[in-house]
Amino acid sequence: MASPPTALHFTGDAEADALIAQDPLALLIGFALDQQITVQAAFAGPLKLKERLGSLDAATIAATDPAELESLFRRPPAIHRFPGSMAKRVHDLAQHVSSEYGGHAERVWTEAQDAKELERRIRALPGFGDMKVKAFGAVLAKRFGVEAAKPLAPSYPTLGDVDSVEALEAYQAAKRASRSARRAESTKA
């Protein structure tokens, strides 16, 4: 396995980018939040949560009263545009990491024997479906050098290909163009 990156250039904020690269739970939380908001906002969420809660420890988050966690998500500026459902998802994720991996999020991938087991482990995480399995697998394979993740990474560009602020901008522009083309095609039908 390659040495982990010092930052993942997903947010444009040096502190948030370093946190998601160096704290495995922060990375998982960022992926859990990466839904219906920008990549930058999703992956800045773990730092906001850490600042508000005082910790990004799985056991601490899991033990936090769900109503309190939701209020932390709602505090302006909100961590997510759907603070209630995302606070629950992060709470469920922290409970899963605590109960299944002893609070050590990196065990999701470091202890997977092969791609099939890694995919099963990722799919078991609250909020992780097909798209997130592929995107997370790509980040693990391309940014962290996780061999078991290589078969999970798709051939098309994902966050795993983002290695700079410029690469994030290019990735997002290509994603917008692809979405626009799909919309235009669907209106013709």
Side-chain angles (χ1 to χ4, degrees):
M1 190 163 18
S3 60
T6 56
L8 292 172
H9 303 281
F10 296 173
T11 72
D13 176 277
E15 189 177 359
D17 287 346
L19 180 65
I20 59 174
Q22 296 165 16
D23 183 328
L25 184 61
L27 183 61
L28 288 180
I29 291 171
F31 269 97
L33 296 175
D34 189 18
Q35 183 175 325
Q36 308 227 340
I37 59 174
T38 66
V39 167
Q40 292 91 334
F43 288 93
L47 179 60
K48 287 181 185 172
L49 181 59
K50 182 178 182 180
E51 291 169 346
R52 294 172 187 189
L53 186 60
S55 170
L56 210 58
D57 174 71
T60 300
I61 297 169
T64 300
D65 177 72
E68 180 186 343
L69 191 60
E70 182 177 334
S71 79
L72 295 175
F73 266 71
R74 287 186 185 283
R75 184 184 310 159
I79 292 175
H80 196 280
R81 70 186 278 199
F82 300 111
S85 60
M86 287 299 143
K88 180 177 179 357
R89 178 164 296 159
V90 169
H91 190 262
D92 292 348
L93 177 64
Q95 287 180 322
H96 183 83
V97 168
S98 291
S99 66
E100 297 296 317
Y101 301 104
H104 299 278
E106 69 278 5
R107 288 178 52 200
V108 170
W109 57 91
T110 60
E111 295 179 358
Q113 298 300 308
D114 55 29
K116 189 173 185 138
E117 182 182 359
L118 179 58
E119 181 177 359
R120 181 189 58 72
R121 288 166 170 246
I122 296 170
R123 282 188 189 282
L125 298 170
F128 282 67
D130 290 342
M131 289 176 58
K132 288 187 186 180
V133 167
K134 291 174 184 174
F136 186 58
V139 168
L140 290 176
K142 296 175 180 181
R143 297 290 131 231
F144 291 88
V146 176
E147 285 296 318
K150 288 182 179 177
L152 303 180
S155 58
Y156 53 83
T158 67
L159 280 175
D161 299 299
V162 172
D163 59 3
S164 66
V165 173
E166 298 77 20
L168 177 61
E169 290 168 1
Y171 164 73
Q172 289 183 306
K175 196 171 174 181
R176 281 190 300 273
S178 174
R179 224 180 283 133
S180 292
R182 281 196 311 273
R183 275 193 212 114
E185 191 62 35
S186 70
T187 59
K188 289 180 186 176

